Amino acid sequence: MPRFDAEYRLQTFSGEYVWVHDQGRVYERDAQQQPLRMVGMVQDISAAKAQEVLLRRQASHDYLTDLLNRRAGYMHFRKQLSYAQRYGRQFSVSLIDLDHFKSINDTYGHQVGDQVLKHLVAGISAQLRQSDTLMRWGGEEFLLLLPNTDSDGAFQLVEQLRKRVAEQPMPLSDGEVQYTFSAGVASFPQHAEQMDMLIKAADDALYVAKSAGRNQVSVSDEVTGIAQGELSV
């Protein structure tokens, strides 16, 4: 091979690792055509690699909350539900919507509104299991995936989250912002068997929670054919 070109990590004398771009060529060989001398250059590309990682993350994560965005969330959701379908596992989702968010923005400004969203995410994330996934679904709406969880377990968890959020307002330098959320819960296979229908069932339940006065959790009243068969046994 007359030329070489490679990227790899290299440990420095200080013990840190840096990314390098190593390229060069053979310019002298012996009688058996074995390389005798080579010339090349090793360039530190750590900054470029860091930027590459950042761009990949920005493509899949929400810029404000650092949660999975809707596009990446759909892919993750599909994998989680496919696993539940294949192995006959319970799987629940919850659509969480911050109550009266427009009023928060109007009263305190959009900057504080953004802080409230981050405060909400931090409060919820701290209570989740490692297997659970919270994602930014759009605006002030979030989708929570709960693998190996039936509708009763999902309701209890989301209800605990709701109470905790209601009891922990976001502090400001001159006061605090009290806020709440409403949520809808739907489960596979009890309420829906496919991803879009599961989201719709959770969304319908969220609408019920909001129509009933907000700051509460509602479980879907849909029942699939699979669930009906199980319940009749």
Side-chain angles (χ1 to χ4, degrees), residues 105-118:
N105 282 330
D106 291 343
T107 303
Y108 300 97
H110 289 275
Q111 202 167 36
V112 171
D114 287 348
Q115 292 174 19
V116 168
L117 291 176
K118 294 170 72 173

Side-chain angles (χ1 to χ4, degrees), residues 157-175:
L157 172 61
V158 179
E159 177 65 11
Q160 289 174 1
L161 295 174
R162 184 196 64 78
K163 291 179 179 179
R164 185 177 181 86
V165 166
E167 293 168 356
Q168 294 188 338
M170 189 190 77
L172 294 175
S173 58
D174 57 349

Side-chain angles (χ1 to χ4, degrees), residues 1-6 8 22-30 33-42:
M1 182 175 66
R3 294 180 178 274
F4 64 90
D5 192 313
Y8 53 87
D22 189 356
Q23 54 185 336
R25 65 181 178 85
V26 177
Y27 77 94
E28 184 177 346
R29 297 178 182 272
D30 60 17
Q33 295 300 303
Q34 295 300 311
L36 289 177
R37 296 185 182 182
M38 305 176 72
V39 62
M41 177 177 64
V42 177

Side-chain angles (χ1 to χ4, degrees), residues 7-232:
E7 293 181 359
Y8 53 87
R9 294 179 70 204
L10 189 66
Q11 188 175 23
T12 65
F13 287 113
S14 65
E16 297 180 355
Y17 281 88
V18 296
W19 276 97
V20 298
H21 183 198
D22 189 356
Q23 54 185 336
R25 65 181 178 85
V26 177
Y27 77 94
E28 184 177 346
R29 297 178 182 272
D30 60 17
Q32 286 73 42
Q33 295 300 303
Q34 295 300 311
L36 289 177
R37 296 185 182 182
M38 305 176 72
V39 62
M41 177 177 64
V42 177
Q43 181 182 9
D44 185 348
I45 59 170
S46 298
K49 280 292 183 181
Q51 182 66 17
E52 182 181 319
V53 170
L54 177 62
L55 290 175
R56 282 204 302 267
R57 186 166 187 83
Q58 288 176 340
S60 60
H61 287 71
D62 173 59
Y63 76 96
L64 178 66
T65 62
D66 202 36
L67 298 175
L68 286 176
N69 58 29
R70 189 160 184 159
R71 178 178 174 275
Y74 254 120
M75 297 173 63
H76 182 66
F77 190 170
R78 194 177 300 279
K79 290 178 182 178
Q80 291 282 326
L81 182 57
S82 176
Y83 181 87
Q85 291 168 336
R86 180 177 300 176
Y87 296 103
R89 302 291 178 86
Q90 297 277 356
F91 181 79
S92 293
V93 302
S94 178
L95 268 175
I96 295 172
D97 190 87
L98 202 152
D99 295 326
H100 303 295
F101 186 60
K102 183 178 184 302
S103 296
I104 294 175
N105 282 330
D106 291 343
T107 303
Y108 300 97
H110 289 275
Q111 202 167 36
V112 171
D114 287 348
Q115 292 174 19
V116 168
L117 291 176
K118 294 170 72 173
H119 187 263
L120 172 67
V121 168
I124 291 177
S125 298
Q127 305 303 311
L128 298 180
R129 303 167 300 182
Q130 189 173 5
S131 59
D132 301 334
T133 303
L134 182 67
M135 64 186 72
R136 182 88 179 269
W137 202 240
E140 65 272 24
E141 196 170 61
F142 300 85
L143 183 66
L144 176 60
L145 307 183
L146 301 168
N148 299 313
T149 307
D150 61 15
S151 59
D152 290 339
F155 172 80
Q156 292 174 16
L157 172 61
V158 179
E159 177 65 11
Q160 289 174 1
L161 295 174
R162 184 196 64 78
K163 291 179 179 179
R164 185 177 181 86
V165 166
E167 293 168 356
Q168 294 188 338
M170 189 190 77
L172 294 175
S173 58
D174 57 349
E176 61 185 24
V177 180
Q178 184 80 40
Y179 66 93
T180 61
F181 73 74
S182 301
V185 171
S187 300
F188 166 85
Q190 181 179 354
H191 303 126
E193 300 172 38
Q194 302 301 323
M195 186 171 70
D196 290 343
M197 295 307 296
L198 199 56
I199 294 172
K200 182 181 183 303
D203 193 35
D204 290 344
L206 173 61
Y207 178 80
V208 171
K210 285 196 168 287
S211 298
R214 296 181 169 83
N215 190 24
Q216 54 187 283
V217 181
S218 176
V219 178
S220 172
D221 59 3
E222 296 289 334
V223 180
T224 66
I226 289 180
Q228 287 175 338
E230 291 175 345
L231 291 172
S232 64

